[in-house]
């Protein structure tokens, strides 16, 4: 690892920031304490809520950790298309006995971006990463002056080049195998499903930019971490692997579904949020995915009540079960133990490669 990354974590293992409740203070602190780099997900939280979680992590560990921010999204949604989708979901609302929010409550919003920036610059954390775009050079320069290491999530070599030009310290290279949202900087419906696999993408980005690479997308074993590092990454970020840990705040139904033989595959869908995201294929995805408009975060707000109601009655078929392609390899164990196991597997893989 680069000297800065080596100072942040003993092992080249980063816990992915999973918005929606999975990546809370307990998980981030446990990973950092074990020698990885834990992350809080500030997406969908208020600025005050984010700061409360930062204080909780600081009370649980003295090790470095990170906070992930969603970049503000341009409102390009077709309101008529969102209204049609809302009508299509009327049956779901009746089934779960919950009301659908009005379209006026599904505004684009900026996820409290400016307020979160102000807090993180006033009381800096060791690492801040960004999803769904790249901050301006002024923002990244401000974090540099504050002593914060910055990482921009990218899905193409061009996005990596843009992040370097704007002053990012590193890029998190996300392959199409990744669970949850694809972190493209521009949401283009014409490009759905055309993303690159992780190993190919890491190699291309390595030839495009000189800054450190953190690789993410479907990684579940230490041997896979060794593979992406051999391809040019300096560390690996894992999300689904940590989703089943007891410290994870994911719904128990979500955790169980990852290894449940009823859910045999994953797909990219816009059904739950209006943006491409990889999850376990369930009834909701099959029935509504083909008709969901490109409208983020409007669709996310529109389906929020349905997803919550489905979880409340124990119906995994109506939930967003985000998962990477390696979900069947999930191992239920404490997060700190998982970090140690991954590090041991990584060492074994490196030894085998040298031999």
């Amino acid at each position: 690892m680069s000297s800065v990354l080596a100072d942040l974590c003993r092992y080249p293992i980063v816990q992915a920031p999973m918005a929606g409740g999975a990546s809370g203070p307990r998980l981030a602190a446990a990973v950092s304490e074990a020698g990885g780099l834990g992350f809080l997900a500030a997406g969908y939280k208020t600025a005050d809520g984010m700061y409360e979680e930062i204080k909780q992590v600081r009370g649980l560990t003295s090790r470095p950790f990170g906070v992930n921010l969603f970049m503000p999204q341009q409102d390009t949604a077709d309101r008529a298309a969102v209204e049609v989708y809302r009508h299509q979901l009327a049956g779901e609302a009746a089934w779960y006995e919950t009301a659908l929010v009005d379209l006026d409550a599904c505004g684009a919003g900026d996820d409290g971006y400016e307020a979160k920036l102000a807090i993180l610059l006033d009381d800096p954390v060791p690492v801040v990463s960004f999803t769904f775009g790249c901050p301006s050079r002024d923002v990244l320069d401000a974090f540099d002056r504050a002593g914060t290491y910055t990482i921009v999530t990218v899905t193409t070599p061009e996005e990596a080049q843009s992040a370097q030009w704007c002053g990012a310290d590193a890029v998190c290279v996300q392959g199409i195998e990744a669970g949850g949202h694809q972190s493209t900087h521009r949401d283009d419906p014409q490009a759905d499903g055309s993303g690159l696999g992780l190993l190919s993408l890491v190699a291309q980005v390595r030839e495009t930019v000189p800054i450190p690479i953190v690789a993410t997308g479907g990684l579940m074993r230490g041997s896979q971490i060794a593979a992406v590092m051999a391809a040019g990454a300096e560390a690996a970020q894992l999300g689904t692997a940590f989703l089943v840990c007891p410290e994870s705040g994911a719904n128990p139904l979500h955790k169980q579904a990852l290894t449940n033989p009823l859910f045999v595959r994953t797909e990219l869908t816009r059904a739950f949020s209006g943006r491409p995201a990889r999850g376990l294929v369930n009834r909701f995805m099959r029935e509504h995915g083909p008709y969901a408009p490109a409208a983020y975060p409007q669709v996310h707000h529109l389906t929020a009540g349905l997803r919550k109601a489905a979880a409340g009655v124990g119906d995994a078929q109506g939930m967003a079960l985000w998962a990477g392609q390696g979900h069947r390899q999930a191992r239920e164990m404490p997060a700190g133990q998982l970090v140690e196991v991954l590090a041991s597997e990584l060492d074994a893989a490196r030894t085998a490669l040298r031999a």
Side-chain angles (χ1 to χ4, degrees):
M1 289 189 291
S2 68
S3 59
V4 177
L5 280 174
D7 290 341
L8 291 169
C9 48
R10 186 187 330 143
Y11 304 124
I13 299 169
V14 180
Q15 165 248 311
M18 297 170 282
S23 301
R26 288 183 62 224
L27 180 60
V31 171
S32 290
E33 275 291 294
L37 180 63
F39 255 94
L40 289 175
Y44 307 136
K45 292 185 174 69
T46 64
D48 288 341
M50 175 196 75
Y51 191 49
E52 285 301 316
E53 290 201 346
I54 290 172
K55 290 190 289 185
Q56 290 178 44
V57 174
R58 286 170 172 161
L60 294 170
T61 182
S62 60
R63 296 290 304 157
F65 65 96
V67 174
N68 175 260
L69 300 181
F70 283 176
M71 292 296 299
Q73 301 296 292
Q74 290 185 344
D75 186 2
T76 59
D78 182 338
R79 186 179 177 87
V82 178
E83 180 64 38
V84 169
Y85 193 57
R86 185 177 186 275
H87 283 296
Q88 290 174 338
L89 296 177
E92 297 284 346
W95 176 259
Y96 291 118
E97 298 181 344
T98 187
L100 290 171
V101 299
D102 293 330
L103 289 189
D104 291 339
C106 297
D110 64 355
D111 201 49
Y113 178 71
E114 294 294 339
K116 291 171 183 176
L117 285 183
I119 289 173
L120 292 169
L121 290 170
D122 182 63
D123 190 1
V125 298
V127 186
V128 171
S129 69
F130 301 88
T131 295
F132 300 150
C134 182
S136 67
R137 174 169 285 278
D138 288 344
V139 169
L140 292 173
D141 285 348
F143 276 116
D144 184 56
R145 292 191 296 271
T148 296
Y149 193 79
T150 53
I151 304 173
V152 173
T153 309
V154 302
T155 60
T156 66
E158 293 76 20
E159 290 175 354
Q161 196 167 50
S162 175
Q164 180 202 359
W165 287 341
C166 288
D169 292 311
V171 287
C172 179
V173 175
Q174 184 196 50
I176 199 169
E177 306 93 333
H181 285 98
Q182 292 287 295
S183 300
T184 52
H185 292 191
R186 178 174 173 267
D187 184 14
D188 180 6
Q190 300 300 317
D192 282 4
S194 64
L196 293 172
L198 183 58
L199 283 175
S200 176
L201 183 57
V202 167
Q204 291 184 41
V205 172
R206 179 73 293 153
E207 294 181 0
T208 304
V209 299
I211 59 179
I213 291 172
V214 178
T216 190
L219 304 176
M220 303 294 287
R221 296 288 187 264
S223 58
Q224 295 170 312
I225 298 174
V228 295
M229 294 183 74
E234 299 198 24
Q237 179 174 282
L238 293 78
T240 306
F242 286 103
L243 202 58
V244 296
C245 294
E247 297 91 344
S248 160
N251 187 289
L253 291 172
H254 191 171
K255 295 182 179 184
Q256 295 163 11
L258 294 175
T259 53
N260 186 337
L262 180 66
F263 301 99
V264 297
R265 60 191 175 88
T266 65
E267 283 185 4
L268 290 170
T269 185
R270 293 179 181 269
F272 296 102
S273 73
R275 223 179 195 277
R278 183 174 297 281
L280 300 174
V281 177
N282 60 5
R283 178 194 60 79
F284 194 102
M285 188 188 297
R286 286 192 298 268
E287 293 182 2
H288 302 293
Y291 313 106
Y296 176 88
Q298 290 87 347
V299 172
H300 164 78
H301 295 307
L302 185 62
T303 66
L306 299 176
R307 290 179 276 122
K308 183 177 180 179
V313 297
D315 184 9
Q317 295 294 335
M319 298 168 57
L321 304 173
W322 304 137
Q325 288 184 343
H327 65 94
R328 297 300 290 272
Q329 293 180 297
R331 297 174 286 195
E332 188 176 352
M333 62 179 70
Q337 181 183 349
L338 179 57
V339 171
E340 296 290 345
V341 168
L342 290 167
S344 177
E345 292 172 344
L346 172 59
D347 284 343
R350 284 171 161 170
T351 299
L353 285 172
R354 284 194 294 268

